[in-house]
Amino acid sequence: AQSVTQPDIHITVSEGASLELRCNYSYGATPYLFWYVQSPGQGLQLLLKYFSGDTLVQGIKGFEAEFKRSQSSFNLRKPSVHWSDAAEYFCAVAKTGGTSYGKLTFGQGTILTVHP
Amino acid sequence: NAGVTQTPKFQVLKTGQSMTLQCAQDMNHEYMSWYRQDPGMGLRLIHYSVGAGITDQGEVPNGYNVSRSTTEDFPLRLLSAAPSQTSVYFCASAKGEPYEQYFGPGTRLTVT
């Protein structure tokens, strides 16, 4: 079974600083990869996704992520964090192939705090 | 389009009570699913459906029932609520492979 690890439970950065959130997955092939963001008391919003092709993907709100097959990683980055980026971030994977039906396996989440 | 809608937003139950969490989507998506979110555990799949009349279990199905009589609706039933089912529940839907999923706003359930 696939698994997802987000090693950092809580990260604190200063506004304007760069950000990298780590995500490692365990799966026998290249999965579909997703990053979601959840503001307190809210639902999940898709930041970006990787299905195939270019390993550097751009998302909303200035986020990007890079898929590294050799490291089984899909780290999320942002060059300059804004106070409004404070939220919880989830990495998720889904098996490829029609019979997987896109069932998502989520990481434990990383809570981002932004200091002014 | 309203997307994925869930009702109610909040619910408090006593142990042993039953209830149904409602989920509907207006995007004509074939695939629908239910997840629960618990602190420090991310989201875990409860049940999913690949079309009307077809459902299957996910990672944590015990204590929950589902049915899918129409493409639009996918209710989640708790037959006898337990405190361990205190959680936030999210419904999601997707069209087809690669199954990019759209999430509803969630239902916060407390079982006392």
Side-chain angles (χ1 to χ4, degrees), chain B residues 60-108:
Chain B
V60 288
N62 292 343
Y64 308 96
N65 282 350
V66 293
S67 60
R68 182 109 178 261
S69 57
T70 67
T71 300
E72 295 77 19
D73 300 298
F74 190 44
L76 178 71
R77 297 183 186 85
L78 286 71
L79 297 180
S80 179
S84 61
Q85 294 179 303
T86 293
S87 187
V88 181
Y89 292 85
F90 289 98
C91 179
S93 74
K95 180 67 174 174
E97 190 161 14
Y99 296 103
E100 178 177 338
Q101 299 206 33
Y102 296 78
F103 282 84
T107 294
R108 183 174 296 274

Side-chain angles (χ1 to χ4, degrees), chain A residues 37-108:
Chain A
V37 61
Q38 183 181 35
S39 297
Q42 303 298 311
L44 279 80
Q45 182 180 23
L46 180 66
L47 280 177
L48 45 74
K49 56 189 182 276
Y50 174 79
F51 296 151
S52 65
D54 193 346
T55 57
L56 184 63
V57 294
Q58 303 296 321
I60 62 171
K61 304 184 179 188
F63 285 92
E64 67 177 25
E66 185 173 13
F67 167 57
K68 292 186 176 180
R69 186 191 313 270
S70 61
Q71 299 177 19
S72 297
S73 68
F74 188 56
N75 294 349
L76 181 71
R77 300 194 295 249
K78 187 170 185 179
S80 178
V81 170
H82 188 263
W83 64 267
S84 61
D85 294 324
E88 189 164 15
Y89 292 79
F90 293 96
C91 180
V93 304
K95 289 182 181 180
T96 56
T99 57
S100 77
Y101 306 121
K103 291 176 284 185
L104 290 172
T105 298
F106 283 84
Q108 303 92 323

